[in-house]
Amino acid sequence: MAHVRRDKKKLLTRIRRIAGQVAALERAMETEADCSDVLIQIAATKGAMHALMMEVLAGHLSEHVVAGKTERGRAEEARTIMELLAKYAR
């Protein structure tokens, strides 16, 4: 996945931000924060994970489906993405 290697610094920055959000969520739980604050932190963390997923998925689609070298390879990658999206949507 050349796109992941190429965008490694940007993706790691996103991942570290998500780790900070998860740590804040853990602190909120440990300190018995108000449930609305916990819910807001959960939503923010979920949104950040979703944005990361979409960024990596967009790169994957561009490099492995749209620009795939063979019709068979593109079809296999498309199937893989469909399976991934089915799992992700659960």
Side-chain angles (χ1 to χ4, degrees):
M1 284 204 210
H3 58 98
V4 173
R5 278 179 288 213
R6 179 185 63 236
D7 297 334
K8 180 179 177 179
K9 185 176 180 179
K10 180 171 59 169
L11 294 172
L12 283 172
T13 298
R14 278 185 178 265
I15 291 166
R16 289 180 183 120
R17 190 175 310 122
I18 292 165
Q21 289 174 310
V22 171
L25 175 59
E26 183 179 5
R27 282 191 304 278
M29 292 297 299
E30 287 176 346
T31 62
E32 298 180 7
D34 185 64
C35 64
S36 63
D37 293 333
V38 172
L39 288 167
I40 289 167
Q41 193 61 46
I42 292 169
T45 303
K46 180 181 183 264
M49 287 295 291
H50 179 75
L52 174 64
M53 174 76 163
M54 292 299 105
E55 186 167 345
V56 175
L57 181 58
H60 187 81
L61 283 168
S62 294
E63 284 199 17
H64 301 287
V65 178
V66 175
K69 294 181 178 162
T70 66
E71 180 66 30
R72 182 176 182 202
R74 288 190 299 272
E76 287 175 15
E77 289 296 335
R79 260 191 309 281
T80 299
I81 290 169
M82 293 300 291
E83 290 170 7
L84 170 86
L85 291 174
K87 291 176 185 175
Y88 182 69
R90 288 185 195 160

